[in-house]
Amino acid sequence: MASKKGSGQGGPSGFRYYGCGLVIPECLENCWILDLGSGSGRDCYMLSKLVGENGHVTGIDMTEAQVEVAKKYLDYHMNKFDYQNPNVNFILGYIEDLGAAGLKDGSYDLVISNCVVNLSPNKRAVLREAYRVLKTGGEMYFSDVYASHDLPEEIRKHRILWGECLGGALWWEDLYKIAQDVGFWPVQLVTASRITISNKELESIVGDCQFVSATFRLFKISLDDSAQRCEVIYNGGIIGHEKELEFDVNYKFKQGEVVEVDEETAAILQNSRFATKFLINPIRQKLPITEGCSHEKDKIRDPFKLVEQMEARVSAQSVSQCCGSKGCC
């Protein structure tokens, strides 16, 4: 029962925007996409252009006024894109029960969401429904707010914190558990940024709890015993990422460069819309692992760890630029 907050005033696609990240993944041509909590339709219309006239975008929102605002600008965008037939539609419904809105199993290549899941009282139902409507090999790509630990009732029921998308924030570890419980595998962290609270009263209420805005990608694939580490080569050609594809925080692929990936990433690349964009060769010989030593890449899964690393790099760069090679004066 969540809706992306927004206003339909001020021009096409609404005046105000309340997303907490960028939910425009790569390789979108001809895809069918569902936007959960589509609000005034801004993300939908951006995606409409990227999927092309043979793709399709559906926006669902629980607020009738938002749906009507989104529909209002349909002709404007279709004319702007020079499409003969609309490739966008907006429906009224709840993201926890997509079936009631008429959305069938295996209908979409992608499900996106921008700072909406935290507003739902039943996040497991949201992910379960997203999994159901995705095609095999499909992806849920979404940005939201996450907490450093499980939030107490005092925070969850605080009216202002809820309105600021903090009271409903999921503990990031619970996202991994829920996603895997409903069938998503694996969970890939794309990016994260720290959320700061400037209000002293609210700061005292949240205590030592921290918040981040993070983007994750979840895939509807299966991993069996046959999954192997692979060497992959990015062929290039994805619009906007012709020479380099930054897939997540752990893997960046440069065109023509050989990269060794783990079983999880290999399975994604082999069984998703990215399959035709890579040359993929299994690594037949498994390297021996000695005690205390692993050949597995140390993957970053914790968004708070990622933020700390990013902040440390920025701090180090600032010191270096200030002091130079001779040290600070």
Side-chain angles (χ1 to χ4, degrees):
M1 290 167 54
S3 172
K4 181 182 300 176
K5 298 178 293 179
S7 167
Q9 302 173 1
S13 299
F15 180 72
R16 304 187 68 184
Y17 185 68
Y18 290 89
C20 59
L22 184 66
V23 288
I24 309 294
E26 322 82 2
C27 202
L28 297 178
E29 189 174 1
N30 299 327
C31 283
W32 279 59
I33 300 178
L34 172 65
D35 182 7
L36 303 179
S38 51
S40 59
R42 182 174 295 189
D43 288 344
C44 290
Y45 286 123
M46 285 193 292
L47 290 163
S48 166
K49 177 63 175 176
L50 295 172
V51 301
E53 199 166 5
N54 293 324
H56 190 86
V57 183
T58 299
I60 182 170
D61 201 279
M62 64 173 282
T63 309
E64 187 173 1
Q66 291 280 57
V67 172
E68 292 306 312
V69 167
K71 289 179 178 179
K72 181 179 178 180
Y73 297 105
L74 182 61
D75 289 341
Y76 170 88
H77 286 91
M78 296 305 101
N79 291 333
K80 196 79 171 177
F81 301 156
D82 196 27
Y83 289 171
Q84 298 300 310
N85 299 299
N87 70 342
V88 182
N89 73 303
F90 297 96
I91 57 178
L92 183 67
Y94 295 110
I95 62 176
E96 299 89 349
D97 190 3
L98 301 176
L103 302 185
K104 299 179 180 179
D105 296 2
S107 302
Y108 293 94
D109 302 291
L110 268 164
V111 172
I112 68 161
S113 173
N114 199 340
C115 206
V116 168
V117 178
N118 74 85
L119 295 172
S120 172
N122 191 345
K123 297 169 179 59
R124 182 179 295 272
V126 175
L127 266 64
R128 185 172 58 242
E129 280 292 87
Y131 184 88
R132 180 184 64 80
V133 300
L134 278 171
K135 300 174 184 177
T136 300
E139 175 187 8
M140 182 175 182
Y141 188 98
F142 68 116
S143 295
D144 222 302
V145 178
Y146 296 92
S148 57
H149 56 256
D150 195 23
L151 298 179
E153 284 297 305
E154 179 186 11
I155 296 178
R156 292 194 179 281
K157 293 183 177 181
H158 193 280
R159 183 178 57 84
I160 296 177
L161 290 172
W162 182 269
E164 292 297 325
C165 298
L166 299 178
L170 193 65
W171 179 27
W172 71 270
E173 290 192 20
D174 278 345
L175 170 67
Y176 280 76
K177 295 173 185 175
I178 294 172
Q180 293 180 9
D181 283 349
V182 303
F184 281 116
W185 189 96
V187 178
Q188 308 286 105
L189 174 62
V190 178
T191 187
S193 59
R194 188 179 300 279
I195 296 174
T196 57
I197 300 175
S198 57
N199 183 293
K200 292 296 183 182
E201 181 182 348
L202 297 180
E203 195 174 2
S204 65
I205 295 173
V206 301
D208 62 352
C209 185
Q210 301 176 54
F211 298 91
V212 295
S213 169
T215 300
F216 287 93
R217 54 194 332 164
L218 316 177
F219 286 86
K220 185 177 179 176
I221 61 172
S222 59
L223 181 72
D224 54 34
D225 294 336
S226 65
Q228 301 180 56
R229 297 178 64 82
C230 292
E231 289 184 338
V232 304
I233 300 175
Y234 174 46
N235 297 324
I238 296 178
I239 297 173
H241 307 270
E242 290 82 359
K243 299 297 183 181
E244 183 176 278
L245 173 63
E246 191 164 349
F247 193 72
D248 57 25
V249 298
N250 296 293
Y251 288 106
K252 181 186 294 184
F253 304 106
K254 294 183 178 180
Q255 185 183 27
E257 182 178 281
V258 177
V259 178
E260 183 178 335
V261 300
D262 60 17
E263 293 89 346
E264 295 179 353
T265 307
I268 290 172
L269 297 179
Q270 288 173 318
N271 296 284
S272 68
R273 67 187 187 281
F274 295 97
T276 61
K277 306 300 181 181
F278 286 85
L279 295 176
I280 304 173
N281 294 306
I283 300 174
R284 301 294 180 184
Q285 183 178 1
K286 290 197 174 183
L287 298 174
I289 299 177
T290 57
E291 186 176 353
C293 176
S294 173
H295 300 286
E296 182 88 7
K297 182 174 179 177
D298 186 17
K299 297 183 73 172
I300 300 173
R301 301 180 185 274
D302 179 350
F304 290 89
K305 180 179 178 180
L306 173 62
V307 167
E308 289 172 1
Q309 291 183 0
M310 294 168 62
E311 291 173 344
R313 285 197 294 268
V314 170
S315 178
Q317 289 171 0
S318 298
V319 171
S320 174
Q321 292 169 2
C322 169
C323 301
S325 59
K326 295 182 180 180
C328 290
C329 54

